[in-house]
Coordinates of all heavy atoms in Angstrom, one line a residue:
M1162 N 103.2 94.5 105.9 CA 102.1 94.1 106.9 C 102.6 94.3 108.3 O 103.7 93.7 108.6 CB 101.7 92.7 106.6 CG 100.3 92.4 107.1 SD 100.0 90.6 107.3 CE 100.1 90.1 105.6
N1163 N 101.9 95.0 109.2 CA 102.4 95.1 110.5 C 102.0 93.9 111.4 O 101.3 93.0 111.0 CB 101.9 96.5 111.2 CG 100.5 96.5 111.5 OD1 99.9 95.4 111.7 ND2 99.9 97.6 111.6
W1164 N 102.6 93.9 112.6 CA 102.5 92.7 113.5 C 101.0 92.4 113.8 O 100.6 91.2 113.7 CB 103.3 93.1 114.8 CG 103.4 91.9 115.7 CD1 102.9 91.9 117.0 CD2 104.1 90.7 115.5 NE1 103.2 90.7 117.6 CE2 103.9 89.9 116.7 CE3 104.8 90.1 114.5 CZ2 104.5 88.7 116.9 CZ3 105.3 88.9 114.6 CH2 105.2 88.2 115.8
N1165 N 100.2 93.4 114.1 CA 98.8 93.1 114.4 C 98.0 92.5 113.3 O 97.2 91.6 113.5 CB 98.1 94.5 114.9 CG 98.8 95.0 116.1 OD1 99.6 94.4 116.8 ND2 98.5 96.3 116.4
T1166 N 98.2 93.1 112.1 CA 97.5 92.5 110.9 C 98.0 91.1 110.6 O 97.2 90.2 110.3 CB 97.9 93.4 109.7 OG1 97.9 94.8 110.0 CG2 96.9 93.2 108.6
C1167 N 99.2 90.8 110.9 CA 99.8 89.5 110.7 C 99.1 88.5 111.6 O 98.7 87.4 111.2 CB 101.3 89.6 111.0 SG 102.2 88.1 110.4
I1168 N 99.0 88.9 112.9 CA 98.3 88.0 113.9 C 96.8 87.8 113.5 O 96.3 86.7 113.6 CB 98.4 88.6 115.3 CG1 99.8 88.8 115.8 CG2 97.5 87.8 116.3 CD1 100.5 87.5 116.3
R1169 N 96.2 88.8 113.0 CA 94.8 88.7 112.6 C 94.6 87.8 111.4 O 93.7 86.9 111.4 CB 94.2 90.1 112.2 CG 92.7 90.2 112.0 CD 92.2 91.6 111.7 NE 92.1 92.3 113.0 CZ 91.1 92.3 113.8 NH1 90.0 91.6 113.4 NH2 91.0 93.0 114.9
Q1170 N 95.6 87.8 110.4 CA 95.6 86.9 109.3 C 95.8 85.5 109.8 O 95.1 84.5 109.3 CB 96.7 87.3 108.3 CG 96.4 88.6 107.5 CD 95.4 88.4 106.5 OE1 95.1 87.3 106.0 NE2 94.6 89.5 106.2
I1171 N 96.7 85.3 110.7 CA 97.0 83.9 111.2 C 95.7 83.4 111.9 O 95.4 82.3 111.7 CB 98.2 84.0 112.2 CG1 99.5 84.3 111.5 CG2 98.3 82.7 113.0 CD1 100.7 84.6 112.4
H1172 N 95.1 84.3 112.7 CA 93.8 83.8 113.4 C 92.8 83.4 112.4 O 92.1 82.4 112.5 CB 93.3 85.0 114.3 CG 92.2 84.6 115.2 ND1 92.5 84.0 116.4 CD2 90.9 84.8 115.1 CE1 91.3 83.8 117.0 NE2 90.3 84.2 116.3
R1173 N 92.7 84.2 111.3 CA 91.7 83.9 110.2 C 91.9 82.6 109.6 O 91.0 81.8 109.4 CB 91.7 85.1 109.2 CG 90.6 85.0 108.2 CD 90.7 86.1 107.2 NE 90.5 87.5 107.8 CZ 90.8 88.6 107.1 NH1 91.2 88.5 105.9 NH2 90.6 89.7 107.7
W1174 N 93.2 82.3 109.2 CA 93.5 81.1 108.5 C 93.5 79.9 109.5 O 93.1 78.8 109.1 CB 94.9 81.2 107.8 CG 94.7 82.0 106.5 CD1 95.1 83.3 106.3 CD2 94.0 81.5 105.3 NE1 94.7 83.6 105.1 CE2 94.0 82.6 104.4 CE3 93.4 80.3 105.0 CZ2 93.4 82.5 103.2 CZ3 92.8 80.3 103.7 CH2 92.8 81.3 102.8
L1175 N 93.8 80.1 110.8 CA 93.7 79.0 111.7 C 92.2 78.6 111.9 O 91.9 77.4 112.2 CB 94.2 79.5 113.1 CG 95.8 79.4 113.3 CD1 96.1 80.1 114.6 CD2 96.2 77.9 113.3
S1176 N 91.3 79.6 111.8 CA 89.9 79.3 112.0 C 89.5 78.3 110.8 O 88.6 77.4 111.1 CB 89.0 80.5 112.0 OG 88.9 81.1 110.7
I1177 N 90.0 78.5 109.6 CA 89.7 77.5 108.5 C 90.3 76.1 108.9 O 89.6 75.1 108.7 CB 90.3 78.1 107.2 CG1 89.7 79.4 106.9 CG2 90.0 77.1 106.1 CD1 88.3 79.5 106.6
A1178 N 91.6 76.1 109.3 CA 92.2 74.8 109.6 C 91.4 74.1 110.7 O 91.2 72.9 110.7 CB 93.6 75.1 110.1
F1179 N 91.0 74.9 111.7 CA 90.2 74.3 112.9 C 88.9 73.8 112.3 O 88.5 72.6 112.7 CB 89.9 75.4 113.9 CG 89.0 75.0 115.0 CD1 89.5 74.0 116.0 CD2 87.7 75.5 115.2 CE1 88.7 73.6 117.0 CE2 86.9 75.1 116.2 CZ 87.4 74.1 117.1
T1180 N 88.2 74.5 111.5 CA 86.9 74.0 110.9 C 87.1 72.7 110.2 O 86.3 71.8 110.3 CB 86.3 75.1 110.0 OG1 86.3 76.3 110.7 CG2 84.9 74.8 109.5
V1181 N 88.1 72.6 109.3 CA 88.4 71.4 108.6 C 88.7 70.3 109.5 O 88.2 69.2 109.4 CB 89.6 71.6 107.6 CG1 90.1 70.3 107.0 CG2 89.3 72.7 106.5
A1182 N 89.5 70.5 110.6 CA 89.8 69.5 111.6 C 88.5 69.0 112.3 O 88.4 67.8 112.6 CB 90.8 70.0 112.6
V1183 N 87.6 69.9 112.6 CA 86.3 69.5 113.2 C 85.5 68.6 112.3 O 85.0 67.6 112.7 CB 85.5 70.8 113.7 CG1 84.1 70.4 114.1 CG2 86.2 71.5 114.8
I1184 N 85.5 69.0 111.0 CA 84.8 68.1 110.0 C 85.4 66.7 110.0 O 84.7 65.7 110.0 CB 84.7 68.8 108.6 CG1 83.9 70.1 108.7 CG2 84.2 67.9 107.6 CD1 84.0 71.0 107.5
I1185 N 86.7 66.7 109.9 CA 87.4 65.4 109.9 C 87.1 64.6 111.2 O 86.8 63.4 111.1 CB 89.0 65.6 109.8 CG1 89.3 66.2 108.5 CG2 89.7 64.3 110.1 CD1 90.8 66.6 108.3
N1186 N 87.0 65.3 112.3 CA 86.6 64.6 113.6 C 85.2 64.0 113.5 O 85.0 62.9 114.0 CB 86.6 65.7 114.7 CG 87.8 65.6 115.6 OD1 87.7 64.8 116.5 ND2 88.8 66.4 115.4
V1187 N 84.3 64.8 113.0 CA 82.9 64.3 112.9 C 82.8 63.1 112.0 O 82.1 62.1 112.3 CB 81.9 65.5 112.4 CG1 80.6 64.9 112.0 CG2 81.9 66.6 113.4
V1188 N 83.5 63.1 110.8 CA 83.6 62.0 109.9 C 84.1 60.8 110.6 O 83.6 59.7 110.5 CB 84.3 62.4 108.6 CG1 84.6 61.1 107.7 CG2 83.6 63.5 107.8
A1189 N 85.2 61.0 111.3 CA 85.9 59.9 112.0 C 85.0 59.3 113.1 O 84.9 58.0 113.3 CB 87.2 60.3 112.7
M1190 N 84.2 60.2 113.8 CA 83.3 59.7 114.8 C 82.1 58.9 114.2 O 81.7 57.9 114.7 CB 82.7 60.9 115.6 CG 83.6 61.3 116.8 SD 83.2 62.9 117.4 CE 81.5 62.7 117.9
A1191 N 81.7 59.4 113.0 CA 80.6 58.7 112.3 C 81.0 57.3 111.9 O 80.2 56.4 111.8 CB 80.1 59.5 111.1
Q1192 N 82.3 57.2 111.5 CA 82.8 55.9 111.1 C 83.3 55.0 112.3 O 83.8 53.9 112.1 CB 84.0 56.1 110.1 CG 83.6 56.7 108.8 CD 84.7 56.9 107.9 OE1 85.9 56.8 108.3 NE2 84.4 57.2 106.6
E1193 N 83.0 55.6 113.5 CA 83.4 54.9 114.8 C 84.9 54.5 114.8 O 85.3 53.5 115.3 CB 82.5 53.7 115.0 CG 81.1 54.2 115.4 CD 80.1 53.1 115.6 OE1 80.5 51.9 115.7 OE2 78.9 53.4 115.6
K1194 N 85.7 55.4 114.2 CA 87.2 55.2 114.3 C 87.7 55.9 115.5 O 87.4 57.0 115.8 CB 87.8 55.7 113.0 CG 87.7 54.9 111.8 CD 88.5 55.4 110.6 CE 88.2 54.6 109.4 NZ 88.5 55.4 108.2
Q1195 N 88.5 55.2 116.3 CA 89.1 55.8 117.5 C 90.6 56.0 117.2 O 91.4 55.1 117.0 CB 89.0 54.8 118.6 CG 87.6 54.6 119.1 CD 87.0 55.8 119.9 OE1 87.7 56.4 120.6 NE2 85.7 56.0 119.8
A1196 N 91.0 57.3 117.1 CA 92.4 57.6 116.9 C 92.7 58.9 117.6 O 92.0 59.9 117.5 CB 92.7 57.7 115.4
I1197 N 93.7 58.9 118.5 CA 94.0 60.1 119.3 C 94.4 61.2 118.4 O 94.1 62.4 118.7 CB 95.1 59.7 120.3 CG1 95.3 60.9 121.3 CG2 96.4 59.3 119.7 CD1 94.4 60.8 122.5
W1198 N 95.1 61.0 117.3 CA 95.6 62.1 116.5 C 94.4 62.9 115.8 O 94.6 64.1 115.5 CB 96.6 61.6 115.4 CG 96.0 60.7 114.4 CD1 96.0 59.3 114.4 CD2 95.3 61.1 113.1 NE1 95.4 58.8 113.3 CE2 95.0 59.9 112.5 CE3 95.0 62.3 112.6 CZ2 94.3 59.9 111.3 CZ3 94.3 62.3 111.4 CH2 94.0 61.1 110.7
V1199 N 93.3 62.2 115.6 CA 92.1 62.9 115.0 C 91.7 64.0 116.0 O 91.3 65.1 115.6 CB 91.0 61.9 114.7 CG1 89.8 62.7 114.0 CG2 91.5 60.8 113.8
G1200 N 91.7 63.7 117.3 CA 91.3 64.7 118.3 C 92.3 65.8 118.4 O 92.0 67.0 118.5
L1201 N 93.6 65.4 118.4 CA 94.7 66.4 118.4 C 94.7 67.3 117.2 O 95.1 68.5 117.3 CB 96.0 65.7 118.6 CG 96.2 64.9 119.9 CD1 97.6 64.2 119.8 CD2 96.2 65.8 121.1
L1202 N 94.2 66.8 116.1 CA 94.1 67.6 114.9 C 93.3 68.9 115.1 O 93.6 69.9 114.5 CB 93.5 66.7 113.8 CG 93.8 67.0 112.3 CD1 95.2 66.7 112.1 CD2 92.9 66.1 111.5
A1203 N 92.3 68.8 115.9 CA 91.4 70.0 116.1 C 92.0 70.8 117.3 O 91.9 72.0 117.4 CB 90.0 69.6 116.4
L1204 N 92.5 70.1 118.3 CA 93.0 70.7 119.5 C 94.2 71.7 119.3 O 94.2 72.8 119.8 CB 93.4 69.6 120.5 CG 93.8 70.2 121.9 CD1 92.5 70.8 122.6 CD2 94.3 69.0 122.8
F1205 N 95.1 71.3 118.4 CA 96.3 72.1 118.1 C 95.9 73.5 117.5 O 96.3 74.5 118.1 CB 97.2 71.3 117.2 CG 98.5 72.0 117.0 CD1 99.4 72.3 118.0 CD2 98.9 72.4 115.7 CE1 100.6 73.0 117.9 CE2 100.1 73.1 115.5 CZ 100.9 73.4 116.6
P1206 N 95.1 73.5 116.4 CA 94.7 74.9 115.9 C 93.9 75.6 116.9 O 94.0 76.9 117.0 CB 94.0 74.6 114.6 CG 93.7 73.1 114.6 CD 94.6 72.5 115.5
L1207 N 93.1 74.9 117.8 CA 92.3 75.6 118.8 C 93.1 76.3 119.8 O 92.8 77.4 120.2 CB 91.3 74.6 119.4 CG 90.3 75.2 120.4 CD1 89.4 76.2 119.7 CD2 89.5 74.1 121.1
I1208 N 94.2 75.7 120.2 CA 95.1 76.3 121.2 C 95.7 77.6 120.6 O 95.8 78.6 121.2 CB 96.2 75.3 121.7 CG1 95.5 74.2 122.5 CG2 97.3 76.0 122.5 CD1 96.4 73.0 122.8
L1209 N 96.2 77.4 119.3 CA 96.8 78.6 118.6 C 95.7 79.7 118.4 O 96.0 80.9 118.5 CB 97.4 78.2 117.3 CG 98.6 77.2 117.4 CD1 99.0 76.8 116.0 CD2 99.7 77.8 118.2
L1210 N 94.5 79.3 118.2 CA 93.4 80.2 118.0 C 93.1 81.0 119.3 O 92.9 82.2 119.3 CB 92.1 79.5 117.6 CG 91.8 79.4 116.1 CD1 90.6 78.4 115.9 CD2 91.5 80.7 115.5
L1211 N 93.2 80.3 120.4 CA 93.0 80.9 121.7 C 94.1 81.9 122.0 O 93.8 83.1 122.4 CB 93.1 79.8 122.8 CG 92.9 80.3 124.3 CD1 91.5 80.8 124.5 CD2 93.2 79.2 125.3
L1212 N 95.4 81.6 121.7 CA 96.5 82.5 122.0 C 96.4 83.8 121.1 O 96.4 84.9 121.6 CB 97.8 81.8 121.7 CG 98.1 80.6 122.7 CD1 99.4 80.0 122.3 CD2 98.1 81.1 124.1
T1213 N 96.2 83.5 119.7 CA 96.1 84.7 118.8 C 94.8 85.5 119.1 O 94.8 86.7 119.0 CB 96.1 84.2 117.4 OG1 95.1 83.2 117.2 CG2 97.5 83.7 116.9
G1214 N 93.7 84.8 119.5 CA 92.4 85.4 119.8 C 92.6 86.3 121.0 O 92.0 87.4 121.0
L1215 N 93.3 85.8 122.0 CA 93.4 86.7 123.3 C 94.3 87.9 122.9 O 94.0 89.0 123.4 CB 94.1 85.8 124.4 CG 93.2 84.8 125.0 CD1 94.0 83.9 126.0 CD2 92.0 85.4 125.7
Y1216 N 95.2 87.7 122.0 CA 96.1 88.9 121.6 C 95.2 89.9 120.9 O 95.2 91.1 121.2 CB 97.2 88.4 120.6 CG 98.1 89.5 120.1 CD1 99.2 89.9 120.8 CD2 97.8 90.1 118.9 CE1 100.0 90.9 120.4 CE2 98.6 91.1 118.4 CZ 99.7 91.5 119.2 OH 100.5 92.5 118.7
L1217 N 94.3 89.4 120.0 CA 93.4 90.3 119.2 C 92.4 91.0 120.2 O 92.1 92.2 120.0 CB 92.6 89.6 118.2 CG 93.4 89.1 117.0 CD1 92.4 88.3 116.0 CD2 94.0 90.2 116.2
F1218 N 92.0 90.3 121.2 CA 91.1 90.9 122.2 C 91.8 92.0 123.0 O 91.2 93.0 123.3 CB 90.6 89.8 123.2 CG 89.7 90.3 124.2 CD1 88.3 90.3 123.9 CD2 90.1 90.6 125.5 CE1 87.4 90.8 124.8 CE2 89.2 91.1 126.4 CZ 87.8 91.2 126.1
A1219 N 93.1 91.8 123.3 CA 93.8 92.8 124.1 C 94.2 94.0 123.3 O 94.4 95.1 123.9 CB 95.1 92.1 124.7
L1220 N 94.2 93.9 122.0 CA 94.7 95.0 121.2 C 94.0 96.4 121.4 O 94.7 97.4 121.7 CB 94.5 94.7 119.7 CG 95.7 93.9 119.0 CD1 95.4 93.8 117.6 CD2 97.0 94.7 119.3
P1221 N 92.6 96.5 121.3 CA 92.0 97.8 121.6 C 92.2 98.3 123.0 O 92.3 99.5 123.2 CB 90.5 97.5 121.3 CG 90.4 96.0 121.2 CD 91.7 95.4 120.9
H1222 N 92.3 97.3 124.0 CA 92.5 97.7 125.4 C 93.9 98.3 125.5 O 94.1 99.3 126.2 CB 92.2 96.6 126.3 CG 90.9 96.0 126.2 ND1 89.8 96.6 126.7 CD2 90.4 94.9 125.5 CE1 88.7 95.9 126.3 NE2 89.1 94.9 125.6
A1223 N 94.9 97.6 124.9 CA 96.2 98.1 125.0 C 96.4 99.5 124.4 O 97.1 100.3 124.9 CB 97.2 97.1 124.3
A1224 N 95.6 99.7 123.3 CA 95.7 101.0 122.6 C 95.1 102.1 123.5 O 95.7 103.2 123.6 CB 94.9 101.0 121.3
K1225 N 94.1 101.7 124.3 CA 93.5 102.7 125.2 C 94.5 103.0 126.4 O 94.7 104.2 126.7 CB 92.2 102.1 125.8 CG 90.9 102.8 125.3 CD 89.7 102.2 125.9 CE 89.1 101.2 124.9 NZ 88.0 100.4 125.5
W1226 N 95.1 101.9 126.9 CA 96.1 102.2 128.0 C 97.2 103.1 127.5 O 97.6 104.0 128.2 CB 96.7 100.8 128.5 CG 95.7 99.9 129.0 CD1 94.6 100.2 129.7 CD2 95.7 98.4 129.0 NE1 93.9 99.0 130.1 CE2 94.6 98.0 129.7 CE3 96.6 97.5 128.4 CZ2 94.3 96.6 129.8 CZ3 96.4 96.2 128.5 CH2 95.2 95.7 129.2
R1227 N 97.6 102.9 126.3 CA 98.7 103.7 125.7 C 98.3 105.1 125.6 O 99.1 106.0 126.0 CB 99.1 103.1 124.4 CG 100.3 102.1 124.5 CD 101.0 101.9 123.1 NE 100.1 101.4 122.1 CZ 99.9 100.1 121.9 NH1 100.6 99.2 122.6 NH2 99.1 99.7 121.0
S1228 N 97.0 105.4 125.1 CA 96.6 106.7 124.9 C 96.4 107.5 126.2 O 96.7 108.6 126.3 CB 95.4 106.8 124.0 OG 94.3 106.2 124.7
V1229 N 95.9 106.7 127.2 CA 95.7 107.4 128.6 C 97.1 107.8 129.1 O 97.3 108.9 129.6 CB 95.0 106.4 129.5 CG1 95.1 106.9 130.9 CG2 93.6 106.2 129.1
R1230 N 98.1 106.9 129.0 CA 99.4 107.2 129.4 C 100.0 108.4 128.7 O 100.7 109.2 129.3 CB 100.3 106.0 129.3 CG 100.6 105.3 130.6 CD 101.8 104.4 130.4 NE 101.8 103.7 129.1 CZ 102.5 102.6 128.8 NH1 103.3 102.2 129.7 NH2 102.5 102.1 127.6
G1231 N 99.7 108.4 127.4 CA 100.2 109.5 126.5 C 99.7 110.9 127.0 O 100.4 111.8 127.0
I1232 N 98.4 111.0 127.4 CA 97.8 112.2 127.8 C 98.4 112.7 129.1 O 98.8 113.9 129.2 CB 96.2 112.1 127.9 CG1 95.6 111.9 126.5 CG2 95.6 113.3 128.5 CD1 94.2 111.4 126.5
S1233 N 98.5 111.8 130.0 CA 99.0 112.2 131.4 C 100.6 112.4 131.4 O 101.1 112.8 132.4 CB 98.6 111.2 132.4 OG 99.2 109.9 132.1
G1234 N 101.2 112.1 130.3 CA 102.6 112.2 130.2 C 103.3 111.0 130.3 O 104.1 110.4 130.9
Ligands
HEM1452 C1 89.6 80.0 121.2 C2 89.4 81.3 121.6 C3 89.2 82.4 120.7 C4 89.3 83.7 121.0 C5 89.7 84.2 122.4 C6 89.0 84.5 119.9 C7 89.1 85.9 119.9 C8 88.9 86.7 118.8 C9 89.0 88.2 118.7 C10 89.2 89.0 120.0 C11 88.8 88.6 117.5 C12 88.9 90.0 117.0 C13 87.5 90.6 116.9 C14 87.7 92.1 116.4 O1 88.0 92.9 117.2 O2 87.4 92.3 115.2 C15 88.6 87.4 116.7 C16 88.3 87.4 115.3 C17 88.0 86.3 114.6 N1 87.9 85.0 115.0 FE1 88.4 84.4 116.9 N2 88.7 83.7 118.8 C18 88.8 82.4 119.2 C19 88.5 81.3 118.5 C20 88.0 81.4 117.2 C21 87.5 80.2 116.5 C22 87.3 78.8 117.1 C23 87.2 80.6 115.2 C24 86.5 79.9 114.1 C25 86.7 78.6 113.9 C26 87.5 82.1 115.2 C27 87.3 82.8 114.0 C28 87.6 84.2 114.0 C29 87.5 85.0 112.8 C30 87.2 84.5 111.4 C31 87.8 86.3 113.1 C32 87.9 87.5 112.2 C33 89.3 87.7 111.8 C34 89.5 88.9 110.9 O3 89.4 90.0 111.3 O4 89.8 88.6 109.8 N3 88.0 82.4 116.4 N4 88.6 86.3 117.5

């Protein structure tokens, strides 16, 4: 598996972790439980999603920059 596929897989699985954390958050809110770690539970995968997502976003652009450079030498 190459690096880009690996990052895409990480992003995919992080999205599941994030979704589960959001559900846990909603349940905790419904029970009116106040705990800082419940909030952090969703924040942590979201930060990682942002980083891996920005990488995925940059991939096609980086490929274009590379090919333009390749043509002009
Ligand atoms: C936080 C900022 C996020 C950014 C910047 C971001 C960005 C991206 C980008 C650029 C792609 C690739 C699209 C493509 O070219 O095919 C992608 C795919 C995806 N994103 Fe995100 N994303 C973010 C958050 C999320 C969240 C919160 C979820 C869901 C909970 C999510 C779920 C997915 C899934 C399932 C894919 C498809 C992955 C695959 O190809 O298997 N992302 N995202």
